[in-house]
């Protein structure tokens, strides 16, 4: 039998915890653009309500939910220790002045923060929440954490196995009250809390201040794929659209940079992808901007470096690229047939690319790659597989190149690809020395510039782009939105 109706369950929660708000104030829908007869003062001061979709049958507990819709909404109920801005730069949120020294990270909690039930936030609550986050960590995000412990009521200390200058970026997990992990909607310290009617109401004591959005109506939806229709029919006002959606566009949208890398992986055990000159030639011949605009409809950022191009510590200056044709000629691939394709030993020379055929964007990208390879005399053969077949093929090594995708953690850790024991290393060229350089760069013993130079000398994989998701809104919605992958309501206090 399905879980008790979502809104009914939420309605009862205020008996246990809640935050005060004047629900007698008349509320409006998201305001339409200002008319000539209305004053700016009235427009800016009028409270209004927002309608958001939640997944029917799912919960709002950040450690038990299964849907992206609920994960986005839960950011309003639960605060992190650290919040990332649009450049993935960390800033203290529930903590003030985080201190990262070598392998020790000391976090002092912000004073005066309380949960929705009125109890104070403590370091024990934060340590409890970390335990829940670590238990759900299947990608090894916290593999470098030796221990996490509350030093006192207001101080949390992480001890790391290795120094890591980007560790703060991992402290984005939501904080809930200790012992409440089994509840559908545990107490949080967020900007909103659950009202007695099942809607979200402002937490009047939140340190970030208030918002014109005083009330948020939660609209259960049975199918996230219908979000586009819910937006254009004004059933909801604002939502992240599912990837690959063929739904009609709403009246407005906001791009959100993700940390999902699309890349070309090489098989380092067979010719020609075992040759560093070939790999560097492939990198130099690619037009990443064309792949972004034509294959991903502009919903991505070209990646000239292995880390996210919007990352605050990414290399800003463009690197000098080698001549791809000169590199290929130096490999003995300097002869061509009547069609202009390179030959080897008098025979046609082909390069095999494996792709997951279930992704339309990747099929389009592969077709564009074939054109870009052909411009330099390389015949690219595209082998299409279902996801299961693709996964098996990559593990078996039956390819020269493959078009891969991986969601990287918020600290930009490339270990899954660079470590010889990484989950995605597969048949990549030997990266043992490069990985040690990478670890030294994260420790601060080697500059990131030095690491980048060593990476491109070996070129074990070629980053293509980092994907973006899209936040769509209804026709009557006009606030200037700043949205991040972690929090699509990043600047709701200024709406």
């Amino acid at each position: 039998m399905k879980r008790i109706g979502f809104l009914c369950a939420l309605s009862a929660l205020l008996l246990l915890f809640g935050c005060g708000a004047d629900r007698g104030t008349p509320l409006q829908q998201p305001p339409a653009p200002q008319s000539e007869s209305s004053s700016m003062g009235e427009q800016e001061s009028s409270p209004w309500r927002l309608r958001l979709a939640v997944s029917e049958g799912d919960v709002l507990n950040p450690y038990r939910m299964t849907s992206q819709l609920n994960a986005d909404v839960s950011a309003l109920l639960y605060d992190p220790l650290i919040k990332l801005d649009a450049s993935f730069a960390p800033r203290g949120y529930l903590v003030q002045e985080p201190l990262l020294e070598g392998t020790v990270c000391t976090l002092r909690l912000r004073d005066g923060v309380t949960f929705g039930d009125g109890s104070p936030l403590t370091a024990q609550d934060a340590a409890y929440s970390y335990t829940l986050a670590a238990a759900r960590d299947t990608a090894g995000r916290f593999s470098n954490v030796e221990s996490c412990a509350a030093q006192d009521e207001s101080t949390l200390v992480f001890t790391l196995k290795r120094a890591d200058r980007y560790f703060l970026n991992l402290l984005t997990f939501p904080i809930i009250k200790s012992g409440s992990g089994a509840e559908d909607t545990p107490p949080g310290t967020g900007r909103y809390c659950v009202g007695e009617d099942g809607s979200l109401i402002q937490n009047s004591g939140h340190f970030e201040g208030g918002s014109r959005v005083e009330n948020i109506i939660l609209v259960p939806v049975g199918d996230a794929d219908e979000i586009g229709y819910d937006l254009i029919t004004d059933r909801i006002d604002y939502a992240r659209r599912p990837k690959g959606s063929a739904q009609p566009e709403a009246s407005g949208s906001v791009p959100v940079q993700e940390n999902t890398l699309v890349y070309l992986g090489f098989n380092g055990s067979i010719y020609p992808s075992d040759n560093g000159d070939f790999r560097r030639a492939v990198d130099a011949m690619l037009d990443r901007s064309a792949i972004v605009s034509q294959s991903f409809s502009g919903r991505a950022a070209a990646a000239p470096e292995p880390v996210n191009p919007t990352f605050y510590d990414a290399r800003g200056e463009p690197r000098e690229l080698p001549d791809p044709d000169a590199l290929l000629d130096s490999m003995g691939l300097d002869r061509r047939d009547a069609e202009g394709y390179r030959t080897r030993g008098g025979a046609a020379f082909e390069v095999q690319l494996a792709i997951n055929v279930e992704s339309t964007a990747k099929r389009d990208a592969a077709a564009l790659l074939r054109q870009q390879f052909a411009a330099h005399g390389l015949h690219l053969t595209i082998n299409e597989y279902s996801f299961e077949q693709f996964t098996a093929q990559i593990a078996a090594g039956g390819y020269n190149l493959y078009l891969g995708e991986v969601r990287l953690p918020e600290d930009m850790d490339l270990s899954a690809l660079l470590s010889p024991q990484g989950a995605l290393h597969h048949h990549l060229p030997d990266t043992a020395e490069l990985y040690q350089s990478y670890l030294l760069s994260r420790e601060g013993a080697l500059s990131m510039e030095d690491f980048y130079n060593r990476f491109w000398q070996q070129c074990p994989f070629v980053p293509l782009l980092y994907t973006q998701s899209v936040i769509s809104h209804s026709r009557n919605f006009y606030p200037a939105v700043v949205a991040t992958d972690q929090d699509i309501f990043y600047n709701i206090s200024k709406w």
Side-chain angles (χ1 to χ4, degrees):
M1 182 177 179
K2 283 190 174 181
R3 189 180 285 108
I4 297 173
F6 181 77
L7 294 179
C8 294
L10 289 179
S11 299
L13 289 171
L14 196 66
L15 297 175
L16 297 176
F17 58 93
C19 45
D22 180 9
R23 286 181 293 278
T25 303
L27 298 176
Q28 307 168 350
Q29 292 303 107
Q34 182 184 2
S35 67
E36 293 182 6
S37 60
S38 65
S39 73
M40 182 63 74
E42 289 177 325
Q43 192 82 347
E44 292 182 350
S45 61
S46 300
W48 50 279
R49 64 163 52 95
L50 187 67
R51 295 163 299 178
L52 300 177
V54 290
S55 183
E56 194 171 40
D58 199 5
V59 296
L60 286 172
N61 184 325
Y63 297 109
R64 292 179 50 215
M65 65 181 55
T66 58
S67 66
Q68 183 63 55
L69 284 176
N70 287 33
D72 286 336
V73 171
S74 74
L76 294 167
L77 298 172
Y78 306 102
D79 291 330
L81 298 172
I82 297 291
K83 186 166 281 196
L84 306 181
D85 66 16
S87 68
F88 294 91
R91 67 180 181 92
Y93 201 67
L94 284 180
V95 301
Q96 36 193 1
E97 299 181 5
L99 182 62
L100 181 59
E101 294 182 311
T103 59
V104 178
C105 180
T106 305
L107 306 169
R108 180 168 179 78
L109 297 180
R110 185 185 290 270
D111 295 332
V113 177
T114 59
F115 288 102
D117 63 358
S119 60
L121 169 69
T122 68
Q124 287 77 14
D125 298 310
Y128 172 77
S129 300
Y130 166 74
T131 301
L132 296 179
R136 286 170 59 98
D137 176 25
T138 58
R141 296 171 67 228
F142 300 111
S143 60
N144 190 36
V145 175
E146 185 72 46
S147 65
C148 169
Q151 189 175 81
D152 54 42
E153 287 292 300
S154 60
T155 308
L156 186 69
V157 177
F158 283 89
T159 302
L160 309 181
K161 299 172 185 176
R162 300 181 67 117
D164 185 355
R165 57 171 134 175
Y166 303 124
F167 173 69
L168 290 178
N169 281 48
L170 293 181
L171 303 182
T172 56
F173 53 88
I175 304 303
I176 67 174
K177 188 174 180 179
S178 180
S180 65
E183 299 178 22
D184 284 355
T185 310
T189 64
R191 293 159 288 181
Y192 290 79
C193 57
V194 180
E196 58 188 3
D197 61 353
S199 67
L200 304 187
I201 55 177
Q202 280 196 58
N203 177 355
S204 57
H206 195 270
F207 55 85
E208 197 172 272
S211 167
R212 289 179 58 208
V213 184
E214 288 194 355
N215 183 254
I216 297 175
I217 307 300
L218 301 181
V219 181
V221 297
D223 186 354
D225 289 336
E226 299 299 316
I227 289 298
Y229 297 102
D230 291 333
L231 285 162
I232 64 173
T233 57
D234 287 333
R235 186 167 180 249
I236 61 174
D237 301 303
Y238 183 84
R240 189 194 307 245
R241 291 167 65 87
K243 279 192 175 180
S245 171
Q247 306 162 34
E249 290 287 346
S251 64
S253 61
V254 178
V256 177
Q257 186 59 57
E258 299 177 324
N259 204 31
T260 299
L261 170 66
V262 177
Y263 65 98
L264 277 177
F266 294 105
N267 186 341
S269 61
I270 62 174
Y271 186 85
S273 45
D274 63 344
N275 188 301
D277 283 342
F278 174 80
R279 300 194 297 269
R280 286 188 291 274
V282 169
D283 165 57
M285 71 175 63
L286 298 180
D287 184 347
R288 292 169 170 84
S289 296
I291 297 172
V292 167
S293 62
Q294 297 178 39
S295 304
F296 285 78
S297 303
R299 294 177 178 173
E305 302 287 355
V307 299
N308 199 310
T310 61
F311 184 46
Y312 72 94
D313 206 19
R315 180 160 62 176
E317 294 297 320
R319 58 193 167 90
E320 185 175 346
L321 297 175
D323 181 346
D325 291 308
L327 289 172
L328 293 172
D329 289 347
S330 71
M331 294 173 58
L333 300 174
D334 52 341
R335 295 174 180 265
R336 304 200 184 203
D337 61 19
E339 295 181 350
Y341 287 108
R342 296 175 185 271
T343 61
R344 182 173 183 243
F349 179 71
E350 292 188 7
V351 179
Q352 305 291 324
L353 172 68
I355 69 166
N356 172 16
V357 73
E358 297 171 16
S359 168
T360 301
K362 291 193 181 67
R363 288 203 311 270
D364 293 344
L368 196 54
L369 286 170
R370 180 164 51 195
Q371 296 176 24
Q372 295 180 8
F373 274 54
H376 296 275
L378 290 178
H379 189 284
L380 186 66
T381 299
I382 301 171
N383 300 312
E384 300 180 343
Y385 303 100
S386 68
F387 178 74
E388 292 76 13
Q389 293 171 332
F390 175 77
T391 303
Q393 193 73 10
I394 300 310
Y399 58 90
N400 293 122
L401 303 92
Y402 70 92
L403 195 53
E405 177 175 327
V406 57
R407 183 175 178 85
L408 297 172
E410 295 94 330
D411 64 345
M412 307 291 153
D413 188 5
L414 297 168
S415 293
L417 287 162
L418 292 181
S419 170
Q421 288 76 46
L424 300 176
H425 193 271
H426 299 308
H427 297 271
L428 291 178
D430 181 17
T431 57
E433 285 189 28
L434 180 63
Y435 185 55
Q436 289 306 309
S437 297
Y438 178 63
L439 294 177
L440 290 174
S441 71
R442 294 187 69 93
E443 291 176 3
L446 182 74
S447 72
M448 288 302 294
E449 182 78 15
D450 285 338
F451 164 69
Y452 290 144
N453 292 337
R454 296 181 190 193
F455 176 88
W456 289 117
Q457 184 60 33
Q458 184 171 359
C459 195
F461 64 89
V462 172
L464 297 177
L465 55 90
Y466 278 82
T467 62
Q468 295 173 349
S469 56
V470 176
I471 308 298
S472 294
H473 54 76
S474 61
R475 59 191 171 186
N476 292 325
F477 185 93
Y478 80 100
V481 169
V482 176
T484 69
D485 195 29
Q486 177 197 5
D487 181 8
I488 67 172
F489 308 97
Y490 187 84
N491 70 331
I492 194 172
S493 63
K494 295 179 172 61
W495 289 7

